[in-house]
Amino acid sequence: MTEELLCCRGLGKQFGHKVALAGVDLSLGRGRIIGLLGPNGSGKTTLIKLANGLLTPTRGEILINGEVPGPATKAVVSYLPDASYLPSWMRVRDLVNMFDDFYADFSADRAVEMLSTLEISGAERLKHLSKGTKEKVQLVLAMSRQAQLYLLDEPIGGVDPAARDYILRTILQNYSAEATVLISTHLISDIEPVLDEAIFIQNGHILLHRPVDDIRETEGKSVDEYFREVFKC
Amino acid sequence: MLRKLLKYEFLATARVFGVCYLGLAALSILAGLSMKFPATSNNIVGVLMLMAYVCMLAAVMLFTFLTIIRRFYKNLLGGEGYLMNTLPVRSWQLVTSKLIASLAWSAASLVMAALSFALLTIAAVPTFSLFWEDLATVWDVLTYPPAYFELTTGFSFWLFLLEVLLLLLVDGISSICLLYTSCMVGHQFRRWRVAASIIVYFLISFLVSALLDVLPGNASAQQIFALADNISLAVNIQFWRLILVDVVLGTIYFAVTAYLLEKRLNLE
């Protein structure tokens, strides 16, 4: 695999007059955990949705393994959206079966194991689960895949601190060494310990993309502190 | 992949349609039974039940129509679109799975409607012996038309039936695909997407019917009528003209839908 995993060239997305992304150039390598960090409305979700083919670029292009988002890229990208997106009438075990049906890299055994650790019954319908439990189910499904690229949009946003720890540990334990995990969040202090690289994004512009160690050495502070400094209101 | 999509499409819709059909069957039997026992000369209950049955029948047809739209709009362009559009499948496969399921439910609803009417008449028959006599009559009535048809038109009834069914099928396909195209074109607008979809639907319907009026096929059909001493041939030609038009339209609507879903998706 000699192509870049994810590459944006002059990527722009506009919604009417609102510019969500403005000429983004980005390149993601393999085998690292990257934080996509920015305040609300900075373009994090837009970038991730473009990578999944859920939005059409207004300008430029976004490529995964050198290809435009399509069935081939969707087979190797595992996406965890910010919102609830699974059919609420389905039972948890139906969803496991569905993911198993469609994704060749999905491990039903791993999913069942994680669900039982979290004490989530397979027979429950999604609509009867609490918001936090639903989010855990979504995360388990996303992380039970052996994908090349994981795109996690605010995976710990609405979840209690104990569950947050579990989620981060799950992410670390379940992704393969050659895969890249892109975590978009504004809760930096929680995920900073697991990050290899950080991308700062504001108003649709990429401000920086550097290794986390580099930031700490050069700026002499944690990424969280540096973030607060850069995005000071 | 298409088979898997179909599996989940039917899983999502089977329960709700099953309940509808059971309700319709139950109501038709009740309505039939209530007509069997006239308590007074004015059988209020029977009339009310019959009215309820007719309403239920209309409701089931409306429900089928709305479900066809809802399954496309909500599942592909709503929140569930985040799941469906990130599956490793082609957009034409997504559209085809919806189309096949929609056709299946349309056919099922029509069959259920006929069946429920049969149930109603069976339940309404006063005595059992009369029931068997009725059945014999029904059979005679059903088998009479083919013979009569062939006698008067010199045209095979079964071929005619086949053409009617084929026309129903391609008309169903093109009608459903038009609904999908309207959804996808409406989706291209940033705001008022639902209103846009509805307007687009009526606009396309109007334009297409206007176009078909102008199309040469119409005039030449009349000419054929004048020329053909064989009426059945003229009818035949008309059928095939309609079938062809629907095939062309259906293909265009399908292609536009699949293209917009693949290249012009903007889920918010």
Side-chain angles (χ1 to χ4, degrees):
Chain A
M1 297 182 279
T2 51
E3 308 98 344
E4 294 160 306
L5 180 58
L6 187 144
C7 166
C8 305
R9 289 198 209 110
L11 183 66
K13 181 61 185 171
Q14 220 166 310
F15 295 104
H17 294 296
K18 182 177 187 301
V19 176
L21 283 182
V24 164
D25 292 304
L26 189 65
S27 174
L28 300 186
R30 297 174 197 279
R32 53 202 81 177
I33 303 184
I34 307 172
L36 182 60
L37 315 172
N40 294 331
S42 52
K44 306 192 292 292
T45 299
T46 304
L47 180 61
I48 291 177
K49 280 162 77 168
L50 281 161
N52 283 297
L54 298 174
L55 292 175
T56 313
T58 317
R59 280 186 302 121
E61 61 180 0
I62 180 163
L63 303 171
I64 293 163
N65 284 333
E67 286 181 55
V68 167
T73 68
K74 289 168 189 178
V76 298
V77 173
S78 184
Y79 174 43
L80 179 62
D82 186 9
S84 217
Y85 73 112
L86 299 171
S88 57
W89 61 270
M90 285 183 89
R91 298 182 198 272
V92 174
R93 60 163 176 252
D94 295 331
L95 286 161
V96 172
N97 289 334
M98 188 174 178
F99 270 62
D100 198 31
D101 265 341
F102 283 100
Y103 294 107
D105 60 15
F106 183 77
S107 164
D109 293 332
R110 193 199 290 178
V112 167
E113 196 191 311
M114 280 199 265
L115 287 168
S116 81
T117 309
L118 289 166
E119 294 176 355
I120 299 173
S121 160
E124 280 281 11
R125 292 191 196 271
L126 274 193
K127 61 180 157 199
H128 297 145
L129 297 175
S130 69
K131 177 166 170 279
T133 311
K134 257 190 277 199
E135 289 185 12
K136 288 178 195 167
V137 170
Q138 289 179 184
L139 177 87
V140 163
L141 290 169
M143 296 314 295
S144 297
R145 284 184 57 195
Q146 282 288 109
Q148 289 181 31
L149 176 63
Y150 297 85
L151 298 173
L152 313 180
D153 198 350
E154 302 278 3
I156 57 175
V159 179
D160 63 85
R164 266 186 224 165
D165 288 338
Y166 177 80
I167 286 167
L168 291 170
R169 263 183 292 128
T170 306
I171 291 170
L172 282 175
Q173 285 163 5
N174 285 289
Y175 89 109
S176 71
E178 279 306 302
T180 290
V181 181
L182 181 74
I183 306 175
S184 120
T185 185
H186 53 272
L187 298 171
I188 297 144
S189 52
D190 281 295
I191 70 160
E192 180 167 348
V194 311
L195 294 182
D196 296 317
E197 294 173 14
I199 300 172
F200 282 13
I201 182 169
Q202 185 183 46
N203 293 328
H205 290 94
I206 304 284
L207 297 181
L208 68 82
H209 178 194
R210 286 155 64 180
V212 153
D213 292 335
D214 191 54
I215 293 174
R216 288 200 209 114
E217 275 174 31
T218 324
E219 310 301 326
K221 48 175 76 98
S222 72
V223 176
D224 186 37
E225 287 165 348
Y226 187 51
F227 180 90
R228 287 165 202 266
E229 188 185 294
V230 169
F231 292 106
K232 191 160 56 186
C233 298
Chain B
M1 280 300 174
L2 182 58
R3 242 183 319 180
K4 292 174 190 173
L5 287 170
L6 271 169
K7 170 176 149 191
Y8 286 99
E9 190 57 32
F10 282 116
L11 245 142
T13 47
R15 209 155 73 124
V16 110
F17 273 106
V19 166
C20 261
Y21 293 158
L22 271 171
L24 183 64
L27 195 56
S28 65
I29 291 173
L30 278 174
L33 286 174
S34 67
M35 286 179 63
K36 192 148 86 169
F37 304 112
T40 62
S41 48
N42 313 322
N43 190 359
I44 301 290
V45 174
V47 169
L48 282 175
M49 289 301 287
L50 201 59
M51 277 170 58
Y53 166 75
V54 171
C55 286
M56 181 78 181
L57 202 59
V60 169
M61 293 304 144
L62 185 65
F63 175 76
T64 307
F65 176 73
L66 290 174
T67 301
I68 290 172
I69 298 175
R70 214 175 40 125
R71 283 305 302 166
F72 187 90
Y73 207 84
K74 212 177 136 217
N75 187 249
L76 293 183
L77 303 178
E80 291 175 20
Y82 281 71
L83 171 67
M84 302 308 291
N85 288 294
T86 49
L87 293 174
V89 300
R90 299 287 308 279
S91 64
W92 71 261
Q93 289 170 313
L94 286 170
V95 180
T96 305
S97 69
K98 298 276 184 246
L99 178 62
I100 292 176
S102 299
L103 282 169
W105 288 123
S106 300
S109 292
L110 286 172
V111 166
M112 259 322 288
L115 219 71
S116 70
F117 187 70
L119 278 172
L120 189 148
T121 39
I122 290 169
V125 168
T127 66
F128 208 59
S129 58
L130 268 177
F131 171 71
W132 287 113
E133 283 180 29
D134 273 359
L135 206 62
T137 318
V138 166
W139 182 253
D140 283 335
V141 168
L142 283 177
T143 51
Y144 191 56
Y148 184 73
F149 192 85
E150 291 188 32
L151 242 115
T152 48
T153 63
F155 190 66
S156 165
F157 175 76
W158 298 112
L159 185 61
F160 179 73
L161 190 67
L162 193 71
E163 286 177 347
V164 168
L165 288 174
L166 188 62
L167 182 61
L168 273 172
L169 178 68
V170 294
D171 198 59
I173 291 175
S174 79
S175 304
I176 293 170
C177 286
L178 175 57
L179 289 169
Y180 293 165
T181 302
S182 307
C183 288
M184 285 314 303
V185 173
H187 180 75
Q188 301 309 307
F189 294 86
R190 273 223 63 221
R191 297 159 72 191
W192 307 109
R193 278 174 164 174
V194 174
S197 300
I198 296 172
I199 292 172
V200 164
Y201 177 79
F202 284 110
L203 208 68
I204 296 178
S205 302
F206 174 75
L207 284 171
V208 164
S209 72
L211 204 74
L212 288 178
D213 279 342
V214 182
L215 217 59
N218 245 343
S220 37
Q222 286 180 0
Q223 289 165 353
I224 288 167
F225 258 110
L227 290 171
D229 40 33
N230 192 348
I231 293 175
S232 68
L233 179 65
V235 169
N236 227 353
I237 289 172
Q238 276 296 72
F239 259 120
W240 285 102
R241 177 177 173 271
L242 289 168
I243 289 171
L244 189 69
V245 163
D246 273 329
V247 166
V248 169
L249 285 176
T251 309
I252 295 173
Y253 295 149
F254 184 91
V256 170
T257 304
Y259 170 78
L260 289 176
L261 189 60
E262 180 148 329
K263 299 287 183 196
R264 293 283 180 269
L265 183 67
N266 281 295
L267 282 185
E268 287 178 38

